Amino acid sequence: MDLETLLSFKWSIMTPEFIILGVITLLSLLDLFMAKSVNRKLLGWLGLAGILGALISLLSLMGNGPETILYDTFRLDSFAIAFKLLLLIGAALVFLIAISYEPKEGLNEYRGEFYYLFLAALLGAMMMSSSGDLITLFIGLELLSISSYILAGIRKKHSGSNESAMKYVVNGGISTSITIFGMSYVYGLTGTTNLLDMARHVITLADSQHIYLLGLAFFMIFVGLSFKVATAPFHMWAPDVYQGAPTPVTAFLSVVSKTAGFILIVRILMVIFYNIPTEGLGSMPLLIKVQDYIAFLAAATMIIGNVVALRQKNIKRLFAYSSIAQAGYLLVVVASMSAFLFDTLWFYLGAYLFMNLGAFAIIQLITQKTGSEDIAEFAGLYRKAPILAIAMAVFILSLAGIPGTAGFIGKLNIFMGALVVEPAHYVLVSIMIATTVVSYFYYFGVMVQMFFRPAANDEVKFKLPAGLGVVIGVCVFATILFGVAPNIALDFLQGNFNQFSDFFQ
């Protein structure tokens, strides 16, 4: 590629990514040359400023038609912008949680790495949302994954953190190898790595052996990505990693990483496999044929996540199984394949972002103060810190799907999407309702501790850091606002993204 061609690309559509990349470079250089005695929380605030700058630049790109550069490997469409908004907002809140993180053994020596590895993972997720090519998708996925492996084990003197990183690396390596093997089949049959070119090519395939190989590729890619979003039975890594990783990393994995995983699932499945005819031209697409398999996986994930959560005593482990159950609800959206798929997925991921990150901010505060992650440490929280208890109650009620919260509206959208299609997914919706009721037992168990159990030590006072205070305040406000007036978010989505009509262009 000559210089003239390189300069001809419209690089402005990558401004948010360039800002994040520039801040990563700046933080790594500052961390390298700063004296060890200097508190590196300053780097955290610089990183947060970079995320906010990227968010502002992304908002300025809204309203543009679908644009591509680098031979269609990077595309900026409505889907990319909408989900990058979630990624950047989630990353900003995680950064505020990370700045306030103070483990017992100290973190200042590695705090600089802590921040720019978060940004590197965010950059990978953003690249995934804008990728129009299997190669860039895979590079974005690995940038996110490798950064997450290191972040999970950043507490080098903590055995739980070391164990979580090891398990995450092993399971992540397995999932990556399965995913790339499935991708290689699709590439071999189409002769291209560009997603839209693949979609145009697979429509013409009529050989039953080719269709069989593409079906095999679908299952390998779907299984590999199921590891990434922790759906059953590929969830085995999540509880141990969530428990052992630093709390900000757990929050990041549960929200930002999960959002990126579903972005990747939708990008690949909807672009490539929705167009594959199963019995010649004009026949039912492959993705519709395998709906029942996706639905089965969604049902298993909801059941396992909610039932196993009933026996958990560690709060981070409980939220790990809660996260697995939430992945099951999101798979219902994918399995339904309704006309509202993108809208429902976007709204629920947004609602989950606020209610889960708010809960993790409170979990970090309490576990650091008490030195324990046992659910019993929440006993008597209403008497010691009533505002924190009420905020945590809001997040728990939203996670449980109680009316008046964003979580309820999100679940209602999923129900409606699964029922408006033909044929309607009555069994899947029934399982979702039943498992949601099961979730009340462990969610309300935390509330019982906060409001109805006596505190072991009433004299413990919680000093709320400014960063955590902002996270909790923003998350409570958003959880209630989008529960009472969901039309604000939905009108924003409809008014700015034109129903994602440019997704296949």
Side-chain angles (χ1 to χ4, degrees):
M1 185 187 300
D2 57 33
L3 183 61
E4 185 179 350
T5 304
L6 194 65
L7 294 174
S8 68
F9 293 131
K10 191 176 179 181
W11 294 104
S12 60
I13 67 173
M14 289 187 71
T15 302
E17 284 79 8
F18 284 135
I19 291 174
I20 297 298
L21 180 61
V23 174
I24 292 171
T25 306
L26 177 63
L27 293 190
S28 60
L29 291 174
L30 288 175
D31 183 47
L32 180 64
F33 292 107
M34 284 173 67
K36 290 186 177 180
S37 57
V38 177
N39 192 326
R40 277 157 169 74
K41 283 190 177 183
L42 172 64
L43 302 181
W45 294 111
L46 287 174
L48 178 61
I51 294 173
L52 295 177
L55 182 58
I56 292 169
S57 69
L58 181 67
L59 292 172
S60 70
L61 294 171
M62 286 173 54
N64 296 347
E67 297 179 288
T68 64
I69 59 172
L70 299 172
Y71 304 104
D72 296 336
T73 59
F74 185 94
R75 58 184 285 114
L76 189 73
D77 52 16
S78 299
F79 179 86
I81 296 173
F83 285 89
K84 279 184 194 177
L85 279 176
L86 296 182
L87 293 172
L88 287 167
I89 293 170
L93 295 174
V94 168
F95 242 75
L96 286 170
I97 296 174
I99 290 169
S100 304
Y101 184 59
E102 293 288 353
K104 282 186 176 180
E105 71 273 15
L107 193 67
N108 196 53
E109 185 180 353
Y110 312 117
R111 197 175 282 277
E113 299 171 35
F114 198 48
Y115 296 138
Y116 57 73
L117 283 169
F118 268 124
L119 290 175
L122 170 63
L123 181 61
M126 292 172 68
M127 289 297 297
M128 287 161 58
S129 64
S130 277
S131 292
D133 191 278
L134 284 183
I135 295 174
T136 48
L137 272 172
F138 186 71
I139 290 171
L141 175 63
E142 285 306 285
L143 183 57
L144 169 64
S145 299
I146 294 170
S147 301
S148 299
Y149 303 154
I150 303 169
L151 284 168
I154 198 76
R155 296 176 64 182
K156 300 180 183 180
K157 298 176 183 177
H158 186 266
S159 59
S161 184
N162 297 335
E163 180 185 351
S164 71
M166 185 63 187
K167 290 180 177 178
Y168 198 12
V169 168
V170 171
N171 282 279
I174 293 170
S175 68
T176 296
S177 60
I178 295 172
T179 304
I180 198 70
F181 190 40
M183 288 179 176
S184 69
Y185 271 39
V186 184
Y187 168 69
L189 289 168
T190 60
T192 179
T193 56
N194 183 274
L195 296 180
L196 292 179
D197 287 346
M198 283 180 169
R200 285 187 282 267
H201 189 87
V202 295
I203 292 176
T204 63
L205 293 178
D207 191 313
S208 60
Q209 294 299 314
H210 291 169
I211 302 300
Y212 172 78
L213 288 174
L214 285 171
L216 195 61
F218 164 80
F219 282 110
M220 284 190 288
I221 293 173
F222 190 65
V223 166
L225 297 180
S226 293
F227 274 97
K228 298 295 183 184
V229 295
T231 59
F234 314 107
H235 67 285
M236 71 292 290
W237 61 270
D240 292 331
V241 172
Y242 278 43
Q243 181 180 348
T247 305
V249 179
T250 305
F252 180 87
L253 294 176
S254 70
V255 173
V256 180
S257 183
K258 190 177 294 291
T259 299
F262 276 98
I263 288 171
L264 188 53
I265 287 174
V266 172
R267 264 290 183 212
I268 292 180
L269 299 194
M270 295 304 295
V271 173
I272 301 175
F273 294 99
Y274 194 81
N275 292 297
I276 299 174
T278 50
E279 297 172 3
L281 295 176
S283 63
M284 185 180 293
L286 176 65
L287 200 55
I288 301 299
K289 281 278 191 178
V290 298
Q291 262 186 309
D292 290 342
Y293 298 102
I294 301 174
F296 176 80
L297 206 64
T301 304
M302 291 186 289
I303 293 169
I304 292 173
N306 283 305
V307 171
V308 180
L310 295 171
R311 301 294 297 170
Q312 303 308 309
K313 301 300 181 185
N314 182 289
I315 188 69
K316 287 170 69 176
R317 203 171 182 86
L318 182 145
F319 269 77
Y321 282 104
S322 166
S323 180
I324 292 166
Q326 302 291 335
Y329 304 149
L330 289 163
L331 268 188
V332 174
V333 182
V334 178
S336 302
M337 294 178 201
S338 71
F340 315 109
L341 186 151
F342 295 136
D343 306 57
T344 304
L345 196 66
W346 185 86
F347 185 90
Y348 196 83
L349 284 169
Y352 182 61
L353 183 157
F354 290 112
M355 57 194 180
N356 216 48
L357 289 183
F360 270 110
I362 296 174
I363 289 170
Q364 175 173 298
L365 181 64
I366 292 174
T367 54
Q368 281 189 182
K369 185 68 175 180
T370 61
S372 171
E373 296 175 352
D374 198 286
I375 295 173
E377 297 298 338
F378 284 78
L381 182 62
Y382 181 70
R383 293 176 183 169
K384 294 183 287 188
I387 294 177
L388 284 181
I390 292 170
M392 188 67 175
V394 169
F395 301 137
I396 289 174
L397 291 173
S398 186
L399 285 164
I402 300 300
T405 63
F408 170 75
I409 301 298
K411 282 189 171 68
L412 184 63
N413 289 339
I414 295 175
F415 291 150
M416 298 302 293
L419 294 175
V420 297
V421 295
E422 185 63 40
H425 296 270
Y426 292 112
V427 174
L428 198 56
V429 169
S430 300
I431 293 172
M432 185 173 176
I433 293 172
T435 53
T436 298
V437 173
V438 171
S439 73
Y440 294 165
F441 288 91
Y442 62 84
Y443 283 136
F444 293 164
V446 179
M447 293 184 64
V448 167
Q449 293 288 342
M450 293 192 300
F451 292 96
F452 301 108
R453 293 287 184 268
N457 185 1
D458 285 326
E459 297 179 0
V460 175
K461 300 297 180 184
F462 293 98
K463 183 181 179 182
L464 186 62
L468 291 184
V470 170
V471 173
I472 294 167
V474 168
C475 291
V476 167
F477 177 76
T479 300
I480 295 174
L481 177 66
F482 297 135
V484 176
N487 57 299
I488 294 174
L490 295 172
D491 288 347
F492 171 79
L493 193 66
Q494 296 296 329
N496 292 282
F497 301 109
N498 197 25
Q499 298 183 332
F500 301 100
S501 57
D502 57 2
F503 183 78
F504 296 102
Q505 294 178 12

